[in-house]
Amino acid sequence: MSAPLDHVMMRVEDLDESLSWYKTHLDYEEKSRWEADTFTNVFLGPTDVHDEGALLELTYNHDGRTYEMGDAWGHIAVRVADVYDAYDELIDGGVEEYRDPDSCGGSYAFVTDPDGHEIEIVERDYGARWSLDHTMIRVEDADEAIGWFTRKLEYEHTGRWESDTFANYFMKPVDAADEGMAVELTYNYDGRSYEMGEAWGHLAVEAADLQEFWDTLVERGAAEYRDPESCDMRYAFTTDQDGHELEIVTSD
């Protein structure tokens, strides 16, 4: 079972402003878009994104709604060669200061996009500049969350960081390329719970055969949220143990 991460979706309140921000500051280009009667989806990424690299999906609903950020989703992270140079470049380009490298121990930094989605800047010696390194989600039970990604998707640990008050676990498909996106599971030791909000949408994984992949997920106890038939056999949705939505898309 192969389930490389295809994209992460976030909702935006002003599509033109968001597209301008990502194209200007992260040098993203539009890869594709889908115009529906009530919403627009735009997929973005670096020009030289890796074949296994994930894209960013911006969803704009035409009714002008606003969104609560919630705290069940944390951030996306993008790759750069030097976090100080990259952060200074963003600030010089007009991005608001948020968490500079010095405040993060010198190894990473954070900015926010026009809607307040957090973007971590991490140093990597692989992958296109600004390509998606990981998406962080917060979980209420680390053992259950790790078990979900291991059992349902056959993911494995690619890294972990244990702190005094929290732990981060990075999960990826077995034999995934370095340039592929990972999922970062963040577990806070204080037993807090989280609000999902609406500003973040879903993670998406690729499947060679949508129905076969869905049937395997159901056999392994995944939530039957939106099955392929209800989505015109184009995609499907399940949810993880905490309610984060996971889309299954075909790889062709």
Side-chain angles (χ1 to χ4, degrees):
M1 183 181 191
S2 178
L5 286 152
D6 182 82
H7 65 266
V8 56
M9 186 273 267
M10 58 176 62
R11 297 184 180 94
V12 300
E13 296 183 9
D14 185 322
L15 182 59
D16 290 337
E17 181 183 19
S18 294
L19 288 175
S20 177
W21 194 94
Y22 282 96
K23 290 178 179 180
T24 299
H25 300 299
L26 300 190
D27 295 326
Y28 278 13
E29 66 178 15
E30 185 171 325
K31 303 294 187 179
S32 64
R33 81 165 51 201
W34 181 20
E35 296 278 1
D37 291 338
T38 59
F39 65 90
T40 301
N41 295 336
V42 181
F43 292 85
L44 303 168
T47 301
D48 52 349
V49 65
H50 189 271
D51 287 345
E52 293 187 31
L55 299 180
L56 176 65
E57 178 188 1
L58 302 182
T59 290
Y60 171 67
N61 287 294
H62 301 167
D63 57 9
R65 72 185 72 174
T66 60
Y67 305 103
E68 292 293 329
M69 190 61 63
D71 54 7
W73 293 80
H75 58 257
I76 57 173
V78 295
R79 305 180 180 108
V80 298
D82 187 291
V83 66
Y84 280 91
D85 288 347
Y87 187 81
D88 289 344
E89 177 184 324
L90 291 173
I91 302 309
D92 291 343
V95 174
E96 292 186 12
E97 296 192 41
Y98 186 56
R99 295 177 60 190
D100 64 20
D102 286 337
S103 71
C104 299
S107 58
Y108 57 92
F110 280 88
V111 295
T112 60
D113 75 1
D115 290 279
H117 301 98
E118 293 189 1
I119 301 168
E120 183 182 11
I121 306 159
V122 296
E123 289 190 2
R124 297 287 186 262
D125 60 1
Y126 54 84
R129 191 171 193 250
W130 306 119
S131 60
L132 291 171
D133 183 78
H134 64 265
T135 295
M136 188 272 268
I137 59 177
R138 297 186 177 93
V139 301
E140 297 185 9
D141 185 315
D143 293 333
E144 186 180 7
I146 292 169
W148 195 94
F149 279 91
T150 301
R151 165 69 175 156
K152 306 297 190 295
L153 299 182
E154 299 180 15
Y155 278 22
E156 64 178 358
H157 276 122
T158 58
R160 65 189 295 164
W161 181 24
E162 300 279 354
S163 178
D164 292 336
T165 59
F166 66 92
N168 296 333
Y169 306 95
F170 293 84
M171 309 291 293
K172 241 180 176 181
V174 176
D175 298 326
D178 288 341
E179 295 86 352
M181 185 174 71
V183 180
E184 178 187 1
L185 308 177
T186 291
Y187 171 65
N188 288 293
Y189 298 155
D190 57 10
R192 72 185 73 174
S193 58
Y194 305 101
E195 293 294 329
M196 197 60 64
E198 311 97 7
W200 294 88
H202 59 257
L203 288 165
V205 299
E206 292 183 7
D209 185 294
L210 178 61
Q211 189 64 56
E212 180 180 352
F213 192 96
W214 177 259
D215 290 343
T216 299
L217 284 178
V218 173
E219 288 174 3
R220 294 177 180 179
E224 297 185 55
Y225 185 51
R226 296 174 60 190
D227 64 16
E229 186 175 357
S230 71
C231 300
D232 298 324
M233 300 305 296
R234 295 188 302 172
Y235 50 87
F237 280 88
T238 187
T239 59
D240 73 3
Q241 71 295 324
D242 288 292
H244 303 96
E245 292 188 11
L246 188 88
E247 183 183 18
I248 302 100
V249 299
T250 54
S251 53
D252 54 10

